[in-house]
Amino acid sequence: MSLIVQKFGGSSVRDAQRLRNVAGIIAETYLEGNDVIVVLSAQGDTTDDLIAKAQEINPRASKREMDMLLSTGEQISVALCAMALESMGLPCVSLTAWQVGIQSTAVHSDARIKKIDSERIRAELDQHRIVIVTGFQGVDRGGDVTTLGRGGSDTSAVALAAAFRADLCQIYTDVDGVYTTDPRIVPNARKLEEITYDEMLELASQGAQVLHNRSVELAKKFRVNLEVLSSLERKPGTKVKEVTNVEKTNIAGVAKDTSIARIALIGLEHNPGVAFQVFDLLGKHNINVDVIIQSIGREESKDITFTLHRKDLEEAEEVLNAHKAALRFDHIETDAGIGKVSIVGAGLVSNCGVAARMFEALYEAGINIQMINTSEIRVSVLLDEEDVNRAVKAVHDKFFDEA
Amino acid sequence: MSLIVQKFGGSSVRDAQRLRNVAGIIAETYLEGNDVIVVLSAQGDTTDDLIAKAQEINPRASKREMDMLLSTGEQISVALCAMALESMGLPCVSLTAWQVGIQSTAVHSDARIKKIDSERIRAELDQHRIVIVTGFQGVDRGGDVTTLGRGGSDTSAVALAAAFRADLCQIYTDVDGVYTTDPRIVPNARKLEEITYDEMLELASQGAQVLHNRSVELAKKFRVNLEVLSSLERKPGTKVKEVTNVEKTNIAGVAKDTSIARIALIGLEHNPGVAFQVFDLLGKHNINVDVIIQSIGREESKDITFTLHRKDLEEAEEVLNAHKAALRFDHIETDAGIGKVSIVGAGLVSNCGVAARMFEALYEAGINIQMINTSEIRVSVLLDEEDVNRAVKAVHDKFFDEA
C-alpha cells in the first residue's frame, strides 16, 4: 500500500462533470489499495469572480481580507469533491487548511508553509478515508487565513507529500506532461518521460508554465517524487525526480520567454561600485534584473546592459533618470522587444559542445544573438522578440530531430 | 460607551450597493463611540446557488459536507463587508466562527451553540476594531464546521450579545419592525414600539416571520435587549425586552397561520390510554401535533380531533390507518383547509374580557369558529382557511381601531 497525493487544478474541477471525472481518478487510486490525500484549487473562474466582487467594493482591500475572501474558493471545491466521492459510496472527508493545521507565515497573499500538523489527516487516513484538502492556503500563528501566492496549490500538494512521506505526488493539470518545448510552436515537440528537479526548475523559470518554481524547489528539498499528468487523458505523464535514466548527451527541453525588455546605461564613469549603485537602486524599487553584461566602452567610460521584465521597464527608466546626476551616465537606451530562448539539461555542464550546437542552429537560421547567459544546466540567448518562435523551432530541430 | 451587536440578513448584504449601505450603518454606530460586533448572513442567493451546485453533484450529500460548503457564504459576506469598512478608513477585522471559537454541538445542519470563546473578539475590540463575524455557523469539538439551521444568524447575533453582555442586539432585516398584524392583509397595521420576549415568541410561533423562535428564546434566557429594524430606512424599529411600558389592556398583535390540517379520529373506544397511543405513534414518526380536542361521542365512544402541519397530513393518515386495528377507531375524517388566527398579549391572562372581544369580532363578521386553544398570553381560533384574512382584519379592527 502506498500513500499518494493527487493535486487537481482549477480547470480540472471547474464544473460538476469535471469534478465527477476527478472523483473517478481518485476512486481508482483508492480502490487499488492506496491511501490518498487530494489537494484542490478553486473551481475555474471562482477566484476571478471573487476578485471582481472585491474590486467592486474596494479596489484597495487589505490582503488579510482578500485572503479571507479568496480562501472560500478552495473550500467550495473540496466540499463538492467530497460529495462526488460520497455519491460513489467512498469514505472521504474534506478539510480546510486550518482544520489540517497547515501553518504558514503571516504574509497575506504570499505566505510560506512553515509546518503541517499530522494529527487530523493521520486520524482520517487510519479510518481509511480519502482526505481532500484545500490547496493554496494556510493559517498563521494568530489564527488568520493566509494564501500562498502563485502556484500555491502545487506547493500545498508537495508540502503535504513531504510531511506524510508520500510515495508519489501527482500534479494533474490540463496538459499531459512536460514537453521538450511548446507544442503550439513546434508541433513535433516530445513529451518527456522523466526530468530532474534542476531541469524542471530551469525550464519553469525560463518560461515553461507547467509547474511553479516554489513547488519544484520544495520537492527537490524533500525528495518528493513528482508526476505531472493530465486529468482528462488517462496516460502516464512526466516524472520529476532527483536523477533520471535518460541518456545525458541530450537536453531536456527548449524554453522561451517573450516578456523581456533591455536597458543599456551608456557612458558610465569607470569607477568601482557603479554597478552596485545601479542594481541596489533598482532592488529598492522591487525591480528584478535578469541578465547583466558590462563592457568597457570608448574613452575609458563603460556601458552596463541588463534585461528585466517588460512590465518594469517604464518604472526602471524613470528611477534611473531620476538618479542620473548621482549615477553619472551619459544616456539610456531601451528596447522593449526582447525575447529569450533557453536550452536546459542536467548533462549540459559536462558536454561543452552543447552550447555550440545551439549557436550553430541559430546561425543556420540566420538569427542574430544579442546576449548570452548560462548556468550549470542552461544556456540562454537573448534575441529580437520576432525571432523567438523561429529560434525555438531551429534549436529544437537541431537537438531532437537530428539526434 | 456601549457594546452593540448588529446583525444583517442576506437581503441587506446582497450586493455591493447594499453592503455599502450596511457599512454606513455600522460606521455611524462605531463613530458614535460604541464597540460594534457585526453578524452577517450569506449574500442574497448565495446559499441557494451553493445548494444547487451540491444537488448537481450529489442530491444526497452528507450534512457534514453541506455545512462545509454552505459556510463559505457567510465568509464571503464578512470579508466583503470588512473591505467596505476599510474603504471608509475604519479599523475592522472579519472572523469566521472557528476563528472566534463559536463552539457548537456536532449536529450538522442543525447545531446548537454551546459556548463562545471571548479571547479573540475581546482582543480585537481592545484594538478598537469593528469585529465582523460569520452568522449561522459554529465549529464542533472535533474541529468540523457546523451550521445552525433556520434562523441561525439571528441566533449567532443573540448568542454573541449574551456572551459579551452587549447593551443592545439589533436585528436588521427588510421590514422595519414587528407589526400588530401582517400589513399586506390589514393596511392599517401598526408598528409596535416595544414587545415582550413572550409576546414575540407567541407571535413567531403563530406565523409572524420576523424573528426565529430560537433567537428570541435565547434573548429571553440571557435578558438580551433586542431591536428589530430595517437596514434601508433609518428609523427606530421594535424593541423586544423583558417588560414593556405599553398599556397592558391591549394586545400586542394578531397572527395567522394557513398551513394547517385537521384530523378527526371518530368512534374510538372509551379506554384510558387511547390518546397516549395515538400521539405516541405520531411522535415516533416525527409528526408534530398542535391543538387537540377530545370529546365524548354518542354510544359511549369518543372522538379525538387534532391539528398538524399540512405537509404531515398524508403521512399521519397513513400511519393511523396502518394501526387501525390496534387503535380501534371507526373512521378518520380529514380537512386540509384549516387556518388559525391568534391574538397575543402579555396582559391577556389578567384581562378575561379580551378573549370574549375576539369572539365578538368574529361573530360580527359572521365567521364560524371550529376550535379554540389558549395559552397564558395567547388565544387562537381555528377556522376555515378561506375566512382567515377576513378574520385577521375583523379582530385587528376590534382591538386597534375601536380602542
PDB file of all heavy atoms in Angstrom, chain A residues 43 53 58 62 64-65 68 75 83 86 94 98-99 120 143-144, chain B residues 43 53 58 62 64-65 68 75 83 86 94 98-99 120 143-144:
ATOM      1  N   GLN A  43     -12.533  26.275  -8.151  1.00  0.00           N
ATOM      2  CA  GLN A  43     -13.106  25.924  -9.451  1.00  0.00           C
ATOM      3  C   GLN A  43     -12.889  27.038 -10.465  1.00  0.00           C
ATOM      4  O   GLN A  43     -13.167  28.200 -10.186  1.00  0.00           O
ATOM      5  CB  GLN A  43     -14.614  25.734  -9.320  1.00  0.00           C
ATOM      6  CG  GLN A  43     -15.036  24.485  -8.584  1.00  0.00           C
ATOM      7  CD  GLN A  43     -16.545  24.313  -8.671  1.00  0.00           C
ATOM      8  OE1 GLN A  43     -17.283  25.094  -8.106  1.00  0.00           O
ATOM      9  NE2 GLN A  43     -16.989  23.304  -9.397  1.00  0.00           N
ATOM     10  N   LYS A  53     -15.783  40.775  -7.238  1.00  0.00           N
ATOM     11  CA  LYS A  53     -16.668  41.225  -6.152  1.00  0.00           C
ATOM     12  C   LYS A  53     -15.921  42.192  -5.234  1.00  0.00           C
ATOM     13  O   LYS A  53     -16.456  43.221  -4.825  1.00  0.00           O
ATOM     14  CB  LYS A  53     -17.117  40.024  -5.304  1.00  0.00           C
ATOM     15  CG  LYS A  53     -18.452  39.408  -5.714  1.00  0.00           C
ATOM     16  CD  LYS A  53     -18.746  38.212  -4.801  1.00  0.00           C
ATOM     17  CE  LYS A  53     -20.022  37.490  -5.175  1.00  0.00           C
ATOM     18  NZ  LYS A  53     -21.235  38.058  -4.537  1.00  0.00           N
ATOM     19  N   ASN A  58     -14.065  47.537  -2.959  1.00  0.00           N
ATOM     20  CA  ASN A  58     -12.874  48.275  -2.527  1.00  0.00           C
ATOM     21  C   ASN A  58     -11.661  47.808  -3.329  1.00  0.00           C
ATOM     22  O   ASN A  58     -11.092  46.758  -3.040  1.00  0.00           O
ATOM     23  CB  ASN A  58     -12.647  48.034  -1.025  1.00  0.00           C
ATOM     24  CG  ASN A  58     -11.451  48.805  -0.484  1.00  0.00           C
ATOM     25  OD1 ASN A  58     -10.710  49.434  -1.242  1.00  0.00           O
ATOM     26  ND2 ASN A  58     -11.266  48.740   0.822  1.00  0.00           N
ATOM     27  N   SER A  62      -7.530  45.252   1.931  1.00  0.00           N
ATOM     28  CA  SER A  62      -6.339  44.704   2.585  1.00  0.00           C
ATOM     29  C   SER A  62      -6.120  43.264   2.135  1.00  0.00           C
ATOM     30  O   SER A  62      -7.055  42.548   1.798  1.00  0.00           O
ATOM     31  CB  SER A  62      -6.516  44.743   4.103  1.00  0.00           C
ATOM     32  OG  SER A  62      -7.502  43.810   4.499  1.00  0.00           O
ATOM     33  N   ARG A  64      -5.247  40.869   3.994  1.00  0.00           N
ATOM     34  CA  ARG A  64      -5.825  39.987   5.006  1.00  0.00           C
ATOM     35  C   ARG A  64      -7.265  39.633   4.639  1.00  0.00           C
ATOM     36  O   ARG A  64      -7.669  38.482   4.697  1.00  0.00           O
ATOM     37  CB  ARG A  64      -5.788  40.690   6.365  1.00  0.00           C
ATOM     38  CG  ARG A  64      -6.028  39.776   7.564  1.00  0.00           C
ATOM     39  CD  ARG A  64      -7.400  40.014   8.162  1.00  0.00           C
ATOM     40  NE  ARG A  64      -7.637  39.098   9.266  1.00  0.00           N
ATOM     41  CZ  ARG A  64      -8.829  38.576   9.521  1.00  0.00           C
ATOM     42  NH1 ARG A  64      -9.874  38.859   8.770  1.00  0.00           N
ATOM     43  NH2 ARG A  64      -8.994  37.759  10.533  1.00  0.00           N
ATOM     44  N   GLU A  65      -8.056  40.631   4.239  1.00  0.00           N
ATOM     45  CA  GLU A  65      -9.455  40.364   3.895  1.00  0.00           C
ATOM     46  C   GLU A  65      -9.563  39.689   2.523  1.00  0.00           C
ATOM     47  O   GLU A  65     -10.473  38.887   2.299  1.00  0.00           O
ATOM     48  CB  GLU A  65     -10.283  41.655   3.948  1.00  0.00           C
ATOM     49  CG  GLU A  65     -10.368  42.287   5.344  1.00  0.00           C
ATOM     50  CD  GLU A  65     -11.013  41.389   6.401  1.00  0.00           C
ATOM     51  OE1 GLU A  65     -11.737  40.445   6.023  1.00  0.00           O
ATOM     52  OE2 GLU A  65     -10.766  41.608   7.599  1.00  0.00           O
ATOM     53  N   MET A  68      -9.148  36.112   3.244  1.00  0.00           N
ATOM     54  CA  MET A  68     -10.377  35.608   3.869  1.00  0.00           C
ATOM     55  C   MET A  68     -11.404  35.301   2.769  1.00  0.00           C
ATOM     56  O   MET A  68     -12.103  34.286   2.816  1.00  0.00           O
ATOM     57  CB  MET A  68     -10.909  36.703   4.800  1.00  0.00           C
ATOM     58  CG  MET A  68     -12.032  36.276   5.669  1.00  0.00           C
ATOM     59  SD  MET A  68     -11.443  35.247   7.024  1.00  0.00           S
ATOM     60  CE  MET A  68     -12.837  35.416   8.132  1.00  0.00           C
ATOM     61  N   GLN A  75     -12.466  25.936  -0.520  1.00  0.00           N
ATOM     62  CA  GLN A  75     -13.373  25.248   0.411  1.00  0.00           C
ATOM     63  C   GLN A  75     -14.592  24.714  -0.353  1.00  0.00           C
ATOM     64  O   GLN A  75     -15.069  23.603  -0.082  1.00  0.00           O
ATOM     65  CB  GLN A  75     -13.791  26.202   1.531  1.00  0.00           C
ATOM     66  CG  GLN A  75     -14.532  25.488   2.656  1.00  0.00           C
ATOM     67  CD  GLN A  75     -14.732  26.376   3.877  1.00  0.00           C
ATOM     68  OE1 GLN A  75     -13.955  27.306   4.126  1.00  0.00           O
ATOM     69  NE2 GLN A  75     -15.775  26.101   4.638  1.00  0.00           N
ATOM     70  N   MET A  83     -18.553  15.382  -1.913  1.00  0.00           N
ATOM     71  CA  MET A  83     -19.910  14.950  -2.268  1.00  0.00           C
ATOM     72  C   MET A  83     -19.894  14.001  -3.466  1.00  0.00           C
ATOM     73  O   MET A  83     -20.648  13.029  -3.515  1.00  0.00           O
ATOM     74  CB  MET A  83     -20.781  16.166  -2.586  1.00  0.00           C
ATOM     75  CG  MET A  83     -21.078  17.026  -1.369  1.00  0.00           C
ATOM     76  SD  MET A  83     -21.955  18.534  -1.831  1.00  0.00           S
ATOM     77  CE  MET A  83     -21.820  19.455  -0.292  1.00  0.00           C
ATOM     78  N   GLU A  86     -18.727  10.732  -2.152  1.00  0.00           N
ATOM     79  CA  GLU A  86     -19.811  10.137  -1.356  1.00  0.00           C
ATOM     80  C   GLU A  86     -20.831   9.460  -2.264  1.00  0.00           C
ATOM     81  O   GLU A  86     -21.339   8.384  -1.957  1.00  0.00           O
ATOM     82  CB  GLU A  86     -20.538  11.217  -0.545  1.00  0.00           C
ATOM     83  CG  GLU A  86     -19.808  11.674   0.712  1.00  0.00           C
ATOM     84  CD  GLU A  86     -20.527  12.845   1.396  1.00  0.00           C
ATOM     85  OE1 GLU A  86     -21.499  13.384   0.828  1.00  0.00           O
ATOM     86  OE2 GLU A  86     -20.096  13.223   2.500  1.00  0.00           O
ATOM     87  N   SER A  94     -13.568  16.243   3.682  1.00  0.00           N
ATOM     88  CA  SER A  94     -12.886  17.443   3.191  1.00  0.00           C
ATOM     89  C   SER A  94     -12.343  18.220   4.379  1.00  0.00           C
ATOM     90  O   SER A  94     -12.961  18.253   5.440  1.00  0.00           O
ATOM     91  CB  SER A  94     -13.859  18.319   2.394  1.00  0.00           C
ATOM     92  OG  SER A  94     -14.818  18.905   3.242  1.00  0.00           O
ATOM     93  N   TRP A  98      -6.931  25.244   7.897  1.00  0.00           N
ATOM     94  CA  TRP A  98      -6.900  25.406   9.364  1.00  0.00           C
ATOM     95  C   TRP A  98      -7.308  24.125  10.056  1.00  0.00           C
ATOM     96  O   TRP A  98      -6.858  23.844  11.166  1.00  0.00           O
ATOM     97  CB  TRP A  98      -7.742  26.591   9.826  1.00  0.00           C
ATOM     98  CG  TRP A  98      -9.211  26.503   9.552  1.00  0.00           C
ATOM     99  CD1 TRP A  98      -9.862  27.006   8.464  1.00  0.00           C
ATOM    100  CD2 TRP A  98     -10.229  25.873  10.352  1.00  0.00           C
ATOM    101  NE1 TRP A  98     -11.211  26.728   8.543  1.00  0.00           N
ATOM    102  CE2 TRP A  98     -11.460  26.041   9.690  1.00  0.00           C
ATOM    103  CE3 TRP A  98     -10.218  25.193  11.563  1.00  0.00           C
ATOM    104  CZ2 TRP A  98     -12.668  25.537  10.192  1.00  0.00           C
ATOM    105  CZ3 TRP A  98     -11.422  24.695  12.071  1.00  0.00           C
ATOM    106  CH2 TRP A  98     -12.631  24.875  11.390  1.00  0.00           C
ATOM    107  N   GLN A  99      -8.162  23.321   9.419  1.00  0.00           N
ATOM    108  CA  GLN A  99      -8.547  22.056  10.046  1.00  0.00           C
ATOM    109  C   GLN A  99      -7.370  21.072  10.044  1.00  0.00           C
ATOM    110  O   GLN A  99      -7.172  20.337  11.003  1.00  0.00           O
ATOM    111  CB  GLN A  99      -9.763  21.454   9.327  1.00  0.00           C
ATOM    112  CG  GLN A  99     -11.051  22.214   9.640  1.00  0.00           C
ATOM    113  CD  GLN A  99     -12.251  21.702   8.868  1.00  0.00           C
ATOM    114  OE1 GLN A  99     -12.145  21.355   7.697  1.00  0.00           O
ATOM    115  NE2 GLN A  99     -13.400  21.675   9.498  1.00  0.00           N
ATOM    116  N   ARG A 120      -4.694  15.316  12.446  1.00  0.00           N
ATOM    117  CA  ARG A 120      -6.029  15.154  11.869  1.00  0.00           C
ATOM    118  C   ARG A 120      -6.011  14.274  10.621  1.00  0.00           C
ATOM    119  O   ARG A 120      -6.817  13.356  10.479  1.00  0.00           O
ATOM    120  CB  ARG A 120      -6.621  16.541  11.542  1.00  0.00           C
ATOM    121  CG  ARG A 120      -7.993  16.502  10.862  1.00  0.00           C
ATOM    122  CD  ARG A 120      -9.083  16.091  11.840  1.00  0.00           C
ATOM    123  NE  ARG A 120     -10.342  15.780  11.191  1.00  0.00           N
ATOM    124  CZ  ARG A 120     -11.411  16.589  11.173  1.00  0.00           C
ATOM    125  NH1 ARG A 120     -11.367  17.761  11.765  1.00  0.00           N
ATOM    126  NH2 ARG A 120     -12.523  16.219  10.571  1.00  0.00           N
ATOM    127  N   GLY A 143      -4.041  32.637  13.905  1.00  0.00           N
ATOM    128  CA  GLY A 143      -5.315  32.033  13.539  1.00  0.00           C
ATOM    129  C   GLY A 143      -5.982  32.699  12.346  1.00  0.00           C
ATOM    130  O   GLY A 143      -7.167  32.507  12.109  1.00  0.00           O
ATOM    131  N   ASP A 144      -5.231  33.482  11.594  1.00  0.00           N
ATOM    132  CA  ASP A 144      -5.804  34.122  10.412  1.00  0.00           C
ATOM    133  C   ASP A 144      -5.511  33.296   9.162  1.00  0.00           C
ATOM    134  O   ASP A 144      -4.479  32.632   9.061  1.00  0.00           O
ATOM    135  CB  ASP A 144      -5.227  35.535  10.236  1.00  0.00           C
ATOM    136  CG  ASP A 144      -5.918  36.527  11.165  1.00  0.00           C
ATOM    137  OD1 ASP A 144      -6.952  36.149  11.762  1.00  0.00           O
ATOM    138  OD2 ASP A 144      -5.430  37.661  11.288  1.00  0.00           O
TER     139      ASP A 144
ATOM    140  N   GLN B  43     -24.789  36.376   1.325  1.00  0.00           N
ATOM    141  CA  GLN B  43     -25.421  37.334   0.425  1.00  0.00           C
ATOM    142  C   GLN B  43     -26.599  36.709  -0.315  1.00  0.00           C
ATOM    143  O   GLN B  43     -26.476  35.614  -0.876  1.00  0.00           O
ATOM    144  CB  GLN B  43     -24.432  37.777  -0.649  1.00  0.00           C
ATOM    145  CG  GLN B  43     -23.317  38.664  -0.147  1.00  0.00           C
ATOM    146  CD  GLN B  43     -22.507  39.194  -1.318  1.00  0.00           C
ATOM    147  OE1 GLN B  43     -21.817  38.437  -1.982  1.00  0.00           O
ATOM    148  NE2 GLN B  43     -22.610  40.472  -1.594  1.00  0.00           N
ATOM    149  N   LYS B  53     -25.413  23.807  -6.658  1.00  0.00           N
ATOM    150  CA  LYS B  53     -24.148  23.165  -7.045  1.00  0.00           C
ATOM    151  C   LYS B  53     -24.048  21.771  -6.421  1.00  0.00           C
ATOM    152  O   LYS B  53     -23.634  20.815  -7.072  1.00  0.00           O
ATOM    153  CB  LYS B  53     -22.953  23.997  -6.554  1.00  0.00           C
ATOM    154  CG  LYS B  53     -22.386  24.985  -7.551  1.00  0.00           C
ATOM    155  CD  LYS B  53     -21.237  25.760  -6.886  1.00  0.00           C
ATOM    156  CE  LYS B  53     -20.655  26.816  -7.804  1.00  0.00           C
ATOM    157  NZ  LYS B  53     -19.548  26.311  -8.646  1.00  0.00           N
ATOM    158  N   ASN B  58     -24.442  15.696  -6.053  1.00  0.00           N
ATOM    159  CA  ASN B  58     -24.931  14.605  -5.204  1.00  0.00           C
ATOM    160  C   ASN B  58     -26.151  15.080  -4.423  1.00  0.00           C
ATOM    161  O   ASN B  58     -26.017  15.772  -3.421  1.00  0.00           O
ATOM    162  CB  ASN B  58     -23.810  14.171  -4.240  1.00  0.00           C
ATOM    163  CG  ASN B  58     -24.224  13.002  -3.368  1.00  0.00           C
ATOM    164  OD1 ASN B  58     -25.379  12.560  -3.397  1.00  0.00           O
ATOM    165  ND2 ASN B  58     -23.277  12.510  -2.589  1.00  0.00           N
ATOM    166  N   SER B  62     -23.768  14.338   2.287  1.00  0.00           N
ATOM    167  CA  SER B  62     -23.805  14.299   3.750  1.00  0.00           C
ATOM    168  C   SER B  62     -23.970  15.714   4.298  1.00  0.00           C
ATOM    169  O   SER B  62     -23.549  16.693   3.684  1.00  0.00           O
ATOM    170  CB  SER B  62     -22.504  13.691   4.285  1.00  0.00           C
ATOM    171  OG  SER B  62     -21.431  14.574   4.048  1.00  0.00           O
ATOM    172  N   ARG B  64     -22.468  16.896   6.791  1.00  0.00           N
ATOM    173  CA  ARG B  64     -21.144  17.397   7.151  1.00  0.00           C
ATOM    174  C   ARG B  64     -20.541  18.182   5.976  1.00  0.00           C
ATOM    175  O   ARG B  64     -20.026  19.268   6.150  1.00  0.00           O
ATOM    176  CB  ARG B  64     -20.241  16.215   7.521  1.00  0.00           C
ATOM    177  CG  ARG B  64     -18.950  16.586   8.232  1.00  0.00           C
ATOM    178  CD  ARG B  64     -17.762  16.466   7.312  1.00  0.00           C
ATOM    179  NE  ARG B  64     -16.551  16.893   8.004  1.00  0.00           N
ATOM    180  CZ  ARG B  64     -15.545  17.502   7.388  1.00  0.00           C
ATOM    181  NH1 ARG B  64     -15.584  17.749   6.092  1.00  0.00           N
ATOM    182  NH2 ARG B  64     -14.473  17.860   8.053  1.00  0.00           N
ATOM    183  N   GLU B  65     -20.638  17.616   4.776  1.00  0.00           N
ATOM    184  CA  GLU B  65     -20.060  18.307   3.615  1.00  0.00           C
ATOM    185  C   GLU B  65     -20.936  19.481   3.183  1.00  0.00           C
ATOM    186  O   GLU B  65     -20.427  20.485   2.675  1.00  0.00           O
ATOM    187  CB  GLU B  65     -19.824  17.329   2.464  1.00  0.00           C
ATOM    188  CG  GLU B  65     -18.801  16.219   2.774  1.00  0.00           C
ATOM    189  CD  GLU B  65     -17.401  16.746   3.098  1.00  0.00           C
ATOM    190  OE1 GLU B  65     -17.074  17.881   2.730  1.00  0.00           O
ATOM    191  OE2 GLU B  65     -16.625  16.016   3.748  1.00  0.00           O
ATOM    192  N   MET B  68     -19.825  22.287   5.262  1.00  0.00           N
ATOM    193  CA  MET B  68     -18.524  22.754   4.764  1.00  0.00           C
ATOM    194  C   MET B  68     -18.738  23.696   3.572  1.00  0.00           C
ATOM    195  O   MET B  68     -18.088  24.733   3.452  1.00  0.00           O
ATOM    196  CB  MET B  68     -17.725  21.522   4.334  1.00  0.00           C
ATOM    197  CG  MET B  68     -16.304  21.789   4.000  1.00  0.00           C
ATOM    198  SD  MET B  68     -15.342  22.044   5.502  1.00  0.00           S
ATOM    199  CE  MET B  68     -13.702  21.763   4.839  1.00  0.00           C
ATOM    200  N   GLN B  75     -18.696  33.586   4.989  1.00  0.00           N
ATOM    201  CA  GLN B  75     -17.295  34.025   4.968  1.00  0.00           C
ATOM    202  C   GLN B  75     -17.088  35.074   3.868  1.00  0.00           C
ATOM    203  O   GLN B  75     -16.358  36.049   4.056  1.00  0.00           O
ATOM    204  CB  GLN B  75     -16.378  32.812   4.763  1.00  0.00           C
ATOM    205  CG  GLN B  75     -14.905  33.146   4.967  1.00  0.00           C
ATOM    206  CD  GLN B  75     -14.023  31.917   5.008  1.00  0.00           C
ATOM    207  OE1 GLN B  75     -14.461  30.816   5.377  1.00  0.00           O
ATOM    208  NE2 GLN B  75     -12.773  32.074   4.624  1.00  0.00           N
ATOM    209  N   MET B  83     -14.026  44.866   3.733  1.00  0.00           N
ATOM    210  CA  MET B  83     -13.446  45.697   2.667  1.00  0.00           C
ATOM    211  C   MET B  83     -14.201  47.019   2.520  1.00  0.00           C
ATOM    212  O   MET B  83     -13.599  48.068   2.292  1.00  0.00           O
ATOM    213  CB  MET B  83     -13.478  44.934   1.345  1.00  0.00           C
ATOM    214  CG  MET B  83     -12.539  43.731   1.325  1.00  0.00           C
ATOM    215  SD  MET B  83     -12.727  42.772  -0.197  1.00  0.00           S
ATOM    216  CE  MET B  83     -11.790  41.293   0.257  1.00  0.00           C
ATOM    217  N   GLU B  86     -13.090  49.135   5.339  1.00  0.00           N
ATOM    218  CA  GLU B  86     -11.713  49.586   5.084  1.00  0.00           C
ATOM    219  C   GLU B  86     -11.714  50.782   4.129  1.00  0.00           C
ATOM    220  O   GLU B  86     -10.938  51.718   4.297  1.00  0.00           O
ATOM    221  CB  GLU B  86     -10.893  48.454   4.439  1.00  0.00           C
ATOM    222  CG  GLU B  86     -10.424  47.383   5.408  1.00  0.00           C
ATOM    223  CD  GLU B  86      -9.729  46.226   4.689  1.00  0.00           C
ATOM    224  OE1 GLU B  86      -9.720  46.199   3.442  1.00  0.00           O
ATOM    225  OE2 GLU B  86      -9.189  45.348   5.380  1.00  0.00           O
ATOM    226  N   SER B  94     -12.605  40.756   9.898  1.00  0.00           N
ATOM    227  CA  SER B  94     -13.645  39.743   9.741  1.00  0.00           C
ATOM    228  C   SER B  94     -13.175  38.452  10.401  1.00  0.00           C
ATOM    229  O   SER B  94     -11.991  38.128  10.371  1.00  0.00           O
ATOM    230  CB  SER B  94     -13.929  39.497   8.250  1.00  0.00           C
ATOM    231  OG  SER B  94     -12.840  38.841   7.637  1.00  0.00           O
ATOM    232  N   TRP B  98     -15.002  29.607  13.487  1.00  0.00           N
ATOM    233  CA  TRP B  98     -13.894  28.872  14.122  1.00  0.00           C
ATOM    234  C   TRP B  98     -12.822  29.821  14.634  1.00  0.00           C
ATOM    235  O   TRP B  98     -12.147  29.531  15.624  1.00  0.00           O
ATOM    236  CB  TRP B  98     -13.312  27.805  13.181  1.00  0.00           C
ATOM    237  CG  TRP B  98     -12.679  28.312  11.919  1.00  0.00           C
ATOM    238  CD1 TRP B  98     -13.282  28.423  10.702  1.00  0.00           C
ATOM    239  CD2 TRP B  98     -11.327  28.763  11.728  1.00  0.00           C
ATOM    240  NE1 TRP B  98     -12.401  28.927   9.778  1.00  0.00           N
ATOM    241  CE2 TRP B  98     -11.192  29.137  10.369  1.00  0.00           C
ATOM    242  CE3 TRP B  98     -10.220  28.891  12.568  1.00  0.00           C
ATOM    243  CZ2 TRP B  98      -9.997  29.635   9.833  1.00  0.00           C
ATOM    244  CZ3 TRP B  98      -9.027  29.392  12.029  1.00  0.00           C
ATOM    245  CH2 TRP B  98      -8.934  29.747  10.679  1.00  0.00           C
ATOM    246  N   GLN B  99     -12.667  30.967  13.973  1.00  0.00           N
ATOM    247  CA  GLN B  99     -11.672  31.924  14.468  1.00  0.00           C
ATOM    248  C   GLN B  99     -12.115  32.538  15.795  1.00  0.00           C
ATOM    249  O   GLN B  99     -11.295  32.765  16.682  1.00  0.00           O
ATOM    250  CB  GLN B  99     -11.417  33.007  13.421  1.00  0.00           C
ATOM    251  CG  GLN B  99     -10.610  32.480  12.240  1.00  0.00           C
ATOM    252  CD  GLN B  99     -10.438  33.504  11.136  1.00  0.00           C
ATOM    253  OE1 GLN B  99     -11.359  34.256  10.821  1.00  0.00           O
ATOM    254  NE2 GLN B  99      -9.280  33.525  10.516  1.00  0.00           N
ATOM    255  N   ARG B 120     -10.451  36.120  21.328  1.00  0.00           N
ATOM    256  CA  ARG B 120     -10.110  36.786  20.071  1.00  0.00           C
ATOM    257  C   ARG B 120     -10.924  38.065  19.871  1.00  0.00           C
ATOM    258  O   ARG B 120     -10.373  39.113  19.530  1.00  0.00           O
ATOM    259  CB  ARG B 120     -10.350  35.813  18.896  1.00  0.00           C
ATOM    260  CG  ARG B 120     -10.100  36.410  17.509  1.00  0.00           C
ATOM    261  CD  ARG B 120      -8.621  36.597  17.251  1.00  0.00           C
ATOM    262  NE  ARG B 120      -8.348  37.426  16.094  1.00  0.00           N
ATOM    263  CZ  ARG B 120      -7.940  36.968  14.909  1.00  0.00           C
ATOM    264  NH1 ARG B 120      -7.734  35.684  14.723  1.00  0.00           N
ATOM    265  NH2 ARG B 120      -7.689  37.805  13.908  1.00  0.00           N
ATOM    266  N   GLY B 143     -13.498  19.966  15.571  1.00  0.00           N
ATOM    267  CA  GLY B 143     -12.934  20.934  14.637  1.00  0.00           C
ATOM    268  C   GLY B 143     -13.639  20.964  13.298  1.00  0.00           C
ATOM    269  O   GLY B 143     -13.117  21.504  12.320  1.00  0.00           O
ATOM    270  N   ASP B 144     -14.846  20.399  13.221  1.00  0.00           N
ATOM    271  CA  ASP B 144     -15.601  20.437  11.973  1.00  0.00           C
ATOM    272  C   ASP B 144     -16.576  21.614  11.971  1.00  0.00           C
ATOM    273  O   ASP B 144     -17.082  22.018  13.015  1.00  0.00           O
ATOM    274  CB  ASP B 144     -16.367  19.132  11.777  1.00  0.00           C
ATOM    275  CG  ASP B 144     -15.459  18.025  11.258  1.00  0.00           C
ATOM    276  OD1 ASP B 144     -14.320  18.350  10.864  1.00  0.00           O
ATOM    277  OD2 ASP B 144     -15.878  16.860  11.248  1.00  0.00           O
TER     278      ASP B 144
END
